[in-house]
Amino acid sequence: MNLEQLIKGCKKHQIKAQSELYTRYKDVLYTLCLKYCKNTEEAEDNLQDAFISIYNNISKYKGKGSFEGWMKRITINKAID
């Protein structure tokens, strides 16, 4: 699946698309979490919260700008909270 197909699938709440999105971006976003969190457990919790927020808000992504950047902003905001 290309990125556009993944986004469309996630907007339709397709488990396969959500799973592939997680697999594709978990390492990048986890590394980002580690920079903002005190320990690995907190980073793992933050990553989970970030993906839940990404899935719940993906319909708000309008295709302007980098999708990865959009996900990183959500992840950073979750870590700061």
Side-chain angles (χ1 to χ4, degrees), residues 17-33:
Q18 290 175 339
S19 177
E20 188 169 333
L21 185 74
Y22 176 82
T23 301
R24 191 177 291 188
Y25 289 102
K26 66 180 170 75
D27 294 333
V28 171
L29 297 180
Y30 179 68
T31 302
L32 186 61
C33 290

Side-chain angles (χ1 to χ4, degrees), residues 3-81:
L3 183 57
E4 186 177 319
Q5 291 170 322
L6 276 180
I7 293 169
K8 285 181 182 179
C10 288
K11 286 181 178 182
K12 294 178 182 177
H13 306 287
Q14 294 174 348
I15 300 297
K16 183 178 179 183
Q18 290 175 339
S19 177
E20 188 169 333
L21 185 74
Y22 176 82
T23 301
R24 191 177 291 188
Y25 289 102
K26 66 180 170 75
D27 294 333
V28 171
L29 297 180
Y30 179 68
T31 302
L32 186 61
C33 290
L34 287 171
K35 292 179 183 180
Y36 286 88
C37 297
K38 296 175 187 173
N39 54 51
T40 57
E41 292 82 16
E42 189 176 300
E44 290 168 1
D45 288 345
N46 187 74
L47 180 66
Q48 181 177 346
D49 292 343
F51 268 102
I52 290 169
S53 186
I54 289 165
Y55 296 144
N56 288 337
N57 293 294
I58 199 163
S59 62
K60 295 178 184 176
Y61 178 72
K62 302 300 180 195
K64 296 181 181 179
S66 163
F67 181 68
E68 185 173 332
W70 180 79
M71 290 191 303
K72 286 180 177 180
R73 177 53 41 205
I74 289 174
T75 304
I76 291 168
N77 289 341
K78 285 291 176 187
I80 291 171
D81 288 345

